[in-house]
Amino acid sequence: MNQRIDDDPAAARLLEAAAAALAALASAGGPEALAAPGRAPVLLRAFHAYAAPLAIVRDDGNVVLANAAWPQRGGGVDHASLRATIGSDSGLGPLRLDGAGDALPAQVLRLGELTLVSLLGTEAGAGPPAPWQARVAELERRVATDHLTGVWNRAHFERLVGGEISGARRRRQPMSIVLLDIDGFKAVNDGHGHAAGDAVLREFAAVVARHVRAADLLFRWGGEEFVVLAAGTGYRAAARVAEKLRHAVARHRFPFVERLTASAGVAEFDGDETPQAWFDRADAALYRAKAAGRDRVEVDRRGNSDRWAAERGAAPHLQWQESYECGQPLIDDEHRALFDTANTLIDAALRDEGPEPVCAALAALISEAEQHFAHEEALLDAARYPDLQPHRQAHAALLQRAQALLAQARAGQAAFGEVVEFAARDLVLRHLLAADLAYFPIFTGPTDPAGRAEPAPPRPGGA
């Protein structure tokens, strides 16, 4: 019971995280208190002084460390009841202690290789428990959020960017950053005061947040600089995102100053560079935008999208999976056909035999998508799908983008990366495999005894 924390590195890591959460949640200072000097001894004391019985346990139920309130008769936790409670959505459940009689109500929090266990209702005046998962999630959100603007902060970017890069490499998908800077912001502070500057920063963040795409992440980097992390996006598409944001800022009326402009630098992750090297390229592009007169976007035109395209053998073919079926036969058949036609387009772009094969394949994809969208909209209308109108608008936007890309291809100006971006990312990943998921439940029938969804009968108007 009294084993020293230094004897188990995994327990030390868990204690640091768990006690940090407990100390912050119990402290009036909140997350800011976590940065105080001498944190580890304070957190250890917080663990031992916590009113409820606490223990850190291994997967086999053996106790690594316990506080003074932990029952002395409970030398460990029953393995089966521990696993069941860990697996519950709330982290709440009955736990049976070794050497104890009846199971006791408890909550658990899985962190690292170990589990933090608290027995409930044993301290005087104990009320209904607030599940740790929700409390720790709220703590993490507060620590990761910029207190002034409410968007993610720089520390959160630095924590997650390594994982985002690893995932992008594994999936062979591009990823870009847009570095935004408010032009002439010093004059706002100098002319109107720092309170006015803070109001402008809040409004600027709100404007940008309203105009980024659903999959993009917005961070305040510091001062008047903000970063948009755009996953699955090459530098060309990221440049379009940056231009959209620049125009949104220029049109908006801000408090105190009315009009503002912003400059942006765009860079796509390239090769095996470090996150700092990636950011430096975006920063250099931003510097060029400022030097060229501000209120503009500059792009570093390097990135993995072009690198992977140049490898030729690595075209991202789309693979249909049974799990992509919605249960409506006509829609599923047409989705499968669109996968095949999109792959034909990717192959035509890959062969680099001039614009004619690409134009023919893209025109075929447009025609097939147009027909499918009409069929899908009719089926959704018959099923009284409540979000049909925005779905129609998404179809129209995709067809407009495709026609613009076809015009570029006919002029010999469509790069391989842009063709793949449209076919694989915009049409398939973001629409067929993301936006369309919202209507799947209306076509899903009952489940069979094995738990699989059985296709519902065709709706009126289906094949």
Side-chain angles (χ1 to χ4, degrees):
M1 277 298 171
N2 296 319
Q3 178 177 345
R4 291 178 59 230
I5 193 69
D6 296 356
D7 295 339
D8 192 319
R13 290 193 297 274
L14 178 61
L15 178 61
E16 175 75 7
L22 295 171
L25 290 165
S27 160
E32 292 76 14
L34 301 182
R39 181 171 60 177
V42 172
L43 296 180
L44 186 57
R45 288 197 297 271
F47 176 85
H48 283 295
Y50 197 67
L54 289 179
I56 295 172
V57 302
R58 295 190 178 93
D59 285 345
D60 60 8
N62 286 329
V63 173
V64 175
L65 183 76
N67 70 353
W70 185 260
Q72 293 300 310
R73 68 182 184 279
V77 178
D78 173 67
H79 171 75
S81 63
L82 176 65
R83 297 309 303 164
T85 305
I86 290 174
S88 70
D89 291 338
S90 65
L92 300 171
L95 282 185
R96 190 177 300 278
L97 303 187
D98 295 343
D102 296 335
L104 300 173
Q107 66 175 326
V108 300
L109 181 65
R110 184 71 173 171
L111 292 171
E113 304 93 331
L114 301 173
T115 302
L116 180 69
V117 177
S118 174
L119 302 182
L120 302 173
T122 57
E123 65 273 27
W132 273 339
Q133 285 93 330
R135 299 171 74 191
V136 172
E138 172 61 14
L139 173 68
E140 290 175 343
R141 185 195 65 77
R142 290 169 62 192
V143 169
T145 302
D146 176 61
H147 73 280
L148 176 64
T149 62
V151 302
W152 298 121
N153 60 27
R154 176 174 177 172
H156 187 51
F157 177 92
E158 291 172 343
R159 279 192 296 270
L160 66 78
V161 69
E164 292 291 319
I165 290 172
S166 296
R169 283 173 175 157
R170 186 173 61 254
R171 295 186 300 269
R172 293 182 72 83
Q173 289 186 351
M175 182 167 59
S176 297
I177 52 175
V178 177
L179 180 58
L180 289 162
D181 185 273
I182 302 175
D183 294 328
F185 182 73
K186 184 176 182 298
V188 178
N189 280 334
D190 291 347
H192 302 275
H194 288 279
D198 287 350
V200 169
L201 286 171
R202 284 192 292 268
E203 188 73 7
F204 180 85
V207 170
V208 174
R210 284 198 299 271
H211 288 87
V212 295
R213 303 167 305 177
D216 297 336
L217 297 175
L218 174 61
F219 305 81
R220 183 183 177 198
W221 194 254
E224 67 271 25
E225 284 191 333
F226 293 77
V227 170
V228 177
L229 180 62
T233 305
Y235 63 80
R236 299 173 186 85
R240 293 193 293 271
V241 170
E243 285 289 359
K244 176 183 174 183
L245 298 178
R246 185 182 68 81
H247 283 293
V249 169
R251 290 193 303 266
H252 191 75
R253 291 186 178 274
F254 288 86
F256 300 100
V257 296
E258 287 291 315
R259 298 294 185 183
L260 280 178
T261 61
S263 300
V266 174
E268 178 187 343
F269 189 78
D270 186 34
D272 295 321
E273 67 183 341
T274 65
Q276 185 61 53
W278 180 26
F279 181 85
D280 287 345
R281 289 194 295 113
D283 195 39
L286 174 61
Y287 180 82
R288 293 196 299 273
K290 294 283 191 180
R294 304 178 178 178
D295 191 22
R296 60 185 294 131
V297 173
E298 287 290 331
V299 183
D300 186 306
R301 297 184 178 278
R302 290 173 285 170
N304 281 337
S305 57
D306 287 344
R307 179 186 301 274
W308 291 332
E311 292 174 3
R312 290 302 185 243
H317 267 208
L318 305 166
Q319 301 294 325
W320 176 263
Q321 305 289 337
E322 187 177 348
S323 60
Y324 300 161
E325 295 179 357
C326 72
Q328 210 295 325
L330 178 61
I331 289 178
D332 290 336
D333 287 346
E334 291 185 343
H335 279 181
R336 279 191 290 268
L338 282 169
F339 266 63
D340 293 338
T341 309
N343 282 330
T344 300
L345 172 60
I346 292 170
D347 288 339
L350 175 66
R351 287 193 297 270
D352 197 19
E353 296 173 351
E356 289 81 7
V358 174
C359 291
L362 182 53
L365 181 63
I366 292 172
S367 176
E368 199 169 303
E370 195 168 19
Q371 184 180 48
H372 164 66
F373 291 161
H375 291 162
E376 185 178 85
E377 288 167 15
L379 288 165
L380 294 176
D381 189 35
R384 296 183 176 85
Y385 180 52
D387 294 322
L388 177 57
Q389 188 55 33
H391 208 72
R392 274 200 179 106
Q393 292 170 349
H395 287 166
L398 277 171
L399 292 174
Q400 184 178 16
R401 167 91 176 97
Q403 291 291 355
L405 187 60
L406 180 59
Q408 286 181 289
R410 284 173 173 158
Q413 298 172 348
F416 173 84
E418 291 178 295
V419 172
V420 173
E421 262 187 14
F422 172 75
R425 188 201 65 187
D426 296 347
L427 177 62
V428 174
L429 294 177
R430 287 190 172 165
H431 189 75
L432 301 187
L433 299 185
D436 282 2
L437 287 178
Y439 70 67
F440 275 27
I442 68 175
F443 295 127
T444 302
T447 58
D448 68 15
R452 296 181 297 269
E454 296 179 359
R459 299 277 175 172

